[in-house]
Amino acid sequence: MEEREISQAVIGRLPRYYRYLGELLSNGVERISSSDLSKRMHVTASQIRQDLNNFGGFGQQGYGYNVKYLHTEIGKILGLNVNRNFVIIGAGNLGQALANYAGFERSGFILKGIFDVNPRLEGVSIRGIPIRMMDDLKAFIMENNIEIAVLTIPKTKAAEVAQMLADTNIKGIWNFAPTDLHLPKEVVVENVHLAESLMRLSYKVERYNEEHME
Amino acid sequence: MEEREISQAVIGRLPRYYRYLGELLSNGVERISSSDLSKRMHVTASQIRQDLNNFGGFGQQGYGYNVKYLHTEIGKILGLNVNRNFVIIGAGNLGQALANYAGFERSGFILKGIFDVNPRLEGVSIRGIPIRMMDDLKAFIMENNIEIAVLTIPKTKAAEVAQMLADTNIKGIWNFAPTDLHLPKEVVVENVHLAESLMRLSYKVERYNEEHME
């Protein structure tokens, strides 16, 4: 594919295209028109054409999009064409739930280790992966080519652990702790602030109520 | 507070302000200047002044913001000044992790019930709340004034369950199933698509790598 600048707005929509194309693919669909995809995704066909033009994944007029080609190209843009090793730090309820989710592996994210400070969890296994103590984290990251750390620890510990991670080769942090991390730019962060998401839902509920009680 | 139109962009930032103001409040801080808040939040002071001007929560020049007042006002906008009952549907790992998180209660979200289809989970309690079977869901929602349902079920079941919820009094769905729900507009939806969040992280890692290998 040609090198080309793709806007942030388009990038933000790619995971959703990737998901829909993946579903089509597993349903055996080989090609789809922008108007059919538009109906499925509840997005205008013109938006879809504009977005997907970035990837050149459209054939002749009337042919539609080649599903497999587009899925592959978008996967490459998202960096999903290579495997990435990750560790989960914090084996509480949320950490264990994420550790038990096998779906990440299908996108190339390979869980290599789980870490906690609680000595009672030491050696307990989740999907065959033993929980290790935090003292071993740094060496483990170095020795196992870990690119991503998932932080499912209390916010009071998050800054300190993130700082420790910044001193390793780690490239990205998927942060579930309800706090903002301030790290050198070579460590990228993606936040999942669940409490804030719930507040946005609450806002929508409240606003809908107000508008329909007047 | 005066009625006033607040832009969607400002609304999107409110949960973060709410979180920072809440932290200041629990640290006993009564007022804060826009420049101090700017340093903490890593946002420009001018952005903060523009955003918070919407709430009139600023006193005289040199006084700074009244932390408690602003926290309360933003909480009202977000609908956090009232309690909302919710149920969790899907008592798998993620559903149980969310059920175990007591933090939601502090924002007024009260967990009333947990539902699943697995008969082996029937009667098992999480934080004193017994897991119930799906057959009882509709009646439970009606009888317990449930406003919000959290969906932590596989995507293959999500559309059907969401449709069933749309026939009750439910007002909002916090959807963790990796699929889009298409519901009547009186049921608002907030999605948490974890796989897509992980893809955004992957994109950032990939892009940083590319830029620094050339």
Side-chain angles (χ1 to χ4, degrees), chain A residues 95-191:
Chain A
Q96 294 198 22
L98 294 174
N100 272 303
Y101 181 62
F104 297 134
E105 245 109 275
R106 285 196 298 273
S107 303
F109 301 97
I110 314 294
L111 178 61
K112 288 288 185 179
I114 307 167
F115 291 83
D116 205 283
V117 290
N118 182 350
R120 284 187 301 173
L121 291 175
E122 186 166 10
V124 172
S125 280
I126 302 177
R127 291 203 296 136
I129 297 163
I131 298 175
R132 294 179 166 82
M133 294 294 98
M134 288 294 283
D135 299 340
D136 301 331
L137 178 62
K138 266 191 162 180
F140 188 90
I141 287 173
M142 299 306 196
E143 287 159 16
N144 292 275
N145 188 27
I146 305 298
E147 288 192 65
I148 289 173
V150 182
L151 281 196
T152 43
I153 56 180
K155 70 173 177 182
T156 49
K157 301 290 176 201
E160 182 192 337
V161 171
Q163 200 52 59
M164 188 217 280
L165 290 170
D167 294 334
T168 69
N169 290 332
I170 216 93
K171 291 173 178 170
I173 295 181
W174 200 22
N175 176 41
F176 286 78
T179 189
D180 297 320
L181 305 175
H182 303 293
L183 294 172
K185 69 180 180 335
E186 59 268 25
V187 184
V188 299
V189 177
E190 169 82 11
N191 292 310

Side-chain angles (χ1 to χ4, degrees), chain A residues 9 31 73 77 186 192 207:
Chain A
R31 58 199 210 190
E73 291 303 312
I77 301 278
E186 59 268 25
V192 182
R207 187 47 41 103

Side-chain angles (χ1 to χ4, degrees), chain A residues 3 5-6 8 11-12 14-16 18-20 23 40-42 76-82 84 86 93-94 96-98 100-101 104 107 109 147-149 155 171-174 176 178-180 182 185-210 212, chain B residues 3 5-6 8 11-12 14-16 18-20 23 40-42 76-82 84 86 93-94 96-98 100-101 104 107 109 147-149 155 171-174 176 178-180 182 185-210 212:
Chain A
E3 287 285 333
E5 198 67 39
I6 297 168
Q8 280 307 309
I11 297 296
L14 288 187
R16 190 159 178 265
Y18 189 78
R19 170 158 58 86
Y20 275 87
E23 282 170 12
R40 278 176 175 262
M41 295 184 65
H42 294 239
K76 283 185 201 162
I77 301 278
L78 293 171
L80 305 175
N81 54 326
V82 292
R84 296 183 197 283
F86 76 100
N93 293 302
L94 184 57
Q96 294 198 22
L98 294 174
N100 272 303
Y101 181 62
F104 297 134
S107 303
F109 301 97
E147 288 192 65
I148 289 173
K155 70 173 177 182
K171 291 173 178 170
I173 295 181
W174 200 22
F176 286 78
T179 189
D180 297 320
H182 303 293
K185 69 180 180 335
E186 59 268 25
V187 184
V188 299
V189 177
E190 169 82 11
N191 292 310
V192 182
H193 287 161
L194 291 177
E196 295 186 18
S197 171
L198 186 53
M199 286 178 198
R200 283 191 292 273
L201 177 63
S202 169
Y203 170 79
K204 291 179 199 171
V205 167
E206 182 70 13
R207 187 47 41 103
Y208 187 87
N209 285 352
E210 275 175 15
H212 292 81
Chain B
E3 288 284 334
E5 198 66 40
I6 297 169
Q8 279 306 308
I11 296 296
L14 288 187
R16 191 159 177 264
Y18 189 78
R19 169 158 59 87
Y20 275 87
E23 282 170 11
R40 277 175 175 262
M41 294 185 66
H42 294 238
K76 282 185 204 163
I77 300 278
L78 293 171
L80 305 174
N81 55 325
V82 291
R84 294 184 199 283
F86 75 101
N93 293 301
L94 184 57
Q96 293 197 22
L98 293 173
N100 272 303
Y101 182 62
F104 297 133
S107 302
F109 301 96
E147 288 192 63
I148 289 172
K155 71 174 176 181
K171 291 174 178 170
I173 295 181
W174 200 22
F176 286 77
T179 190
D180 298 319
H182 303 293
K185 66 180 184 333
E186 60 267 25
V187 184
V188 298
V189 177
E190 169 80 11
N191 291 309
V192 182
H193 287 161
L194 292 176
E196 295 186 17
S197 172
L198 186 54
M199 287 179 198
R200 283 191 292 273
L201 177 63
S202 169
Y203 171 79
K204 291 180 197 169
V205 167
E206 182 71 13
R207 187 45 41 106
Y208 187 88
N209 285 353
E210 276 175 15
H212 291 82

